[in-house]
Amino acid sequence: MTTLTHSLNAGHHDYAHYRRTFIRLFSDTARYHHRHEVFRDFTALGALAVQNAFLRCLALEKEYLAIAGRYQPEDMQRMSQLLGSLVCALDCRPGDFLGEIFMDLDMGSAYMGQFFTPFSLSQLMARVTVQDMVRQLEQKPFITLDEPAAGAGSMVIAFAQALADQGINPQQQLFVRCTDIDATAAQMCYLQLSYLGIPAEVITGNSLTLEVRRVFRTPFWYLGGWEQRLNRHPA
């Protein structure tokens, strides 16, 4: 697992290489399924594997195996390689890697409004808002960020990067609650925040109606003892 702090110090030159590698691998993966299905299942498999490393839940394991059963062994191997490309790209530099790929592959849904914010714009917005939110640290030991339409996590990643630029460690001083109505977007968000080491709850649901269909928590939520911290200082 990479972290945001490490990524900030890593070289950027290989990012484009891993982006090209991901697109090439994805093109070769499970051509017997629709591209959107493959992307959805890739993010689902990755998210289930990361979450179940902590929960050890039989129901999640069965869900993983049911999805995997739709793919030939060589395509499951490519799924692992796709995940490797994601991790390596984020290790080069933080960003909305999956959101960019999703839009590059023209898989955005006009019906669902899935047009993800360019990461450069998210960075600009984060720099504008970070100073106001840092003031939360005067009242409690961490900052709380709530993203009601998180997409693939672009704004959260940019905000965490802006904090790190100011010497604030997002792993210890940032808690994020992300919500998206679309399961694929929520899975993309969960994977990226997980591999960047950002403590977060990622909710598949509707922020307007307060519907919650699924809640996944990133590894640093568990490793940082965030259940206890949130009990002491509610978000």
Side-chain angles (χ1 to χ4, degrees):
M1 181 182 297
T2 187
T3 66
L4 184 69
T5 304
H6 174 71
S7 298
L8 289 171
N9 298 321
H12 291 193
H13 62 283
D14 285 335
Y15 184 89
H17 163 74
Y18 292 116
R19 187 167 171 166
R20 291 191 300 270
T21 299
F22 187 103
I23 291 173
R24 175 181 54 79
L25 278 168
F26 183 76
S27 175
D28 291 338
T29 301
R31 294 184 176 181
Y32 42 87
H33 289 319
H34 190 279
R35 293 299 84 195
H36 197 284
E37 285 183 73
V38 178
F39 199 91
R40 177 201 64 199
D41 289 345
F42 158 70
T43 60
L45 289 167
L48 286 164
V50 173
Q51 179 66 106
N52 217 24
F54 293 88
L55 295 185
R56 305 294 184 183
C57 172
L58 182 59
L60 293 182
E61 180 68 16
K62 288 181 177 179
E63 185 177 351
Y64 180 97
L65 292 174
I67 297 171
R70 301 179 62 242
Y71 291 88
Q72 297 173 3
E74 58 269 25
D75 289 314
M76 284 300 296
Q77 184 176 4
R78 291 189 185 98
M79 292 284 197
S80 298
Q81 293 170 335
L82 288 170
L83 192 60
S85 294
L86 165 64
V87 174
C88 289
L90 293 179
D91 196 50
C92 291
R93 64 176 174 87
D96 185 9
F97 181 80
L98 291 178
E100 293 169 1
I101 293 288
F102 193 82
M103 298 307 291
D104 282 350
L105 295 173
D106 198 27
M107 288 190 292
S109 166
Y111 176 75
M112 293 294 293
Q114 290 172 295
F115 300 102
F116 298 139
T117 304
F119 189 63
S120 57
L121 179 57
S122 294
Q123 288 177 304
L124 176 61
M125 295 167 63
R127 287 193 290 269
V128 170
T129 60
V130 69
Q131 289 296 341
D132 287 338
M133 296 200 69
V134 165
R135 294 194 182 98
Q136 290 186 35
L137 294 175
E138 299 172 4
Q139 306 297 324
K140 61 181 181 180
F142 57 87
I143 296 166
T144 299
L145 177 64
D146 202 321
E147 269 290 359
S154 177
M155 188 62 204
V156 174
I157 296 166
F159 183 80
Q161 183 182 25
L163 288 179
D165 288 343
Q166 295 199 18
I168 298 170
N169 188 342
Q171 293 173 7
Q172 299 174 0
Q173 294 178 281
L174 174 65
F175 167 72
V176 182
R177 182 178 290 112
C178 299
T179 305
D180 203 279
I181 197 168
D182 178 63
T184 300
Q187 290 157 184
M188 293 161 67
C189 181
Y190 177 76
L191 277 176
Q192 297 194 128
L193 299 191
S194 291
Y195 284 106
L196 286 170
I198 298 173
E201 288 183 340
V202 180
I203 300 166
T204 304
N206 191 319
S207 298
L208 296 178
T209 64
L210 303 182
E211 174 199 14
V212 175
R213 299 199 303 274
R214 164 165 274 173
V215 180
F216 274 5
R217 297 178 173 95
T218 62
F220 269 82
W221 189 92
Y222 296 98
L223 298 174
W226 279 92
E227 183 174 11
Q228 294 77 17
R229 295 186 70 183
L230 289 167
N231 285 335
R232 292 195 298 268
H233 304 279

